[in-house]
Amino acid sequence: DVQLVQSGGGLAQAGRSLRVSCAGSGFSFGAYAIGWFRQAPGKEREMVSCINTRDGSTYYSESLRGRFTVSSDSTANTVHLQMNSLKPEDTGVYHCAAMILCSYSRGEWRRVGLRSDWWGQGTQVTVAA
């Protein structure tokens, strides 16, 4: 069975850092992309970052660029989202999800093969002002 298990997150003051991780099993981790989604309180879930583990290409929404870094550890089948210079508006539940391919261009995300059942359990990130 495919499993995506998240860890990390928590509470941080604005300007500080947190990391959330997503460990995958039950599929060829290196052949898929891992996307990160965020759902802020009272808002719809939005995709914020992704990495194609096949070639290491990474993408970020404009609000995250320069502050967050997504990386892949192939030896551990784990993707990390390093969150620096946190802002209160980064608060939300972060989910990882596996898909075949991802990209971001001109404000639009492309998500190929995103499945409803290949998601992590979600991790709370709270940034205090």
Side-chain angles (χ1 to χ4, degrees):
D1 291 347
V2 171
Q3 282 195 317
L4 294 171
V5 178
Q6 296 180 223
S7 59
L11 172 66
Q13 295 290 323
R16 304 301 290 269
S17 300
L18 286 172
R19 188 174 80 167
V20 289
S21 300
C22 177
S25 62
F27 63 103
S28 298
F29 191 83
Y32 284 80
I34 299 294
W36 285 100
F37 297 75
R38 175 173 73 192
Q39 186 161 21
K43 295 187 177 181
E44 292 187 356
R45 185 172 61 195
E46 62 173 340
M47 188 168 181
V48 295
S49 179
C50 72
I51 181 169
N52 289 293
T53 59
R54 193 179 296 106
D55 63 7
S57 56
T58 59
Y59 301 89
Y60 305 91
S61 61
E62 281 83 2
S63 64
L64 271 59
R65 197 168 293 135
R67 299 189 297 120
F68 287 20
T69 302
V70 61
S71 62
S72 176
D73 179 353
S74 60
T75 61
N77 284 358
T78 300
V79 166
H80 304 289
L81 183 65
Q82 179 66 40
M83 305 180 287
N84 298 331
S85 302
L86 284 163
K87 303 177 180 181
E89 51 264 42
D90 294 320
T91 293
V93 177
Y94 286 71
H95 287 268
C96 64
M99 62 199 81
I100 294 173
L101 185 70
C102 66
S103 64
Y104 182 77
S105 177
R106 299 177 183 176
E108 295 288 334
W109 285 101
R110 180 179 178 221
R111 302 176 282 255
V112 178
L114 178 63
R115 295 170 55 126
S116 61
D117 54 346
W118 287 20
W119 287 75
Q121 80 274 21
T123 302
Q124 177 68 46
V125 170
T126 302
V127 184

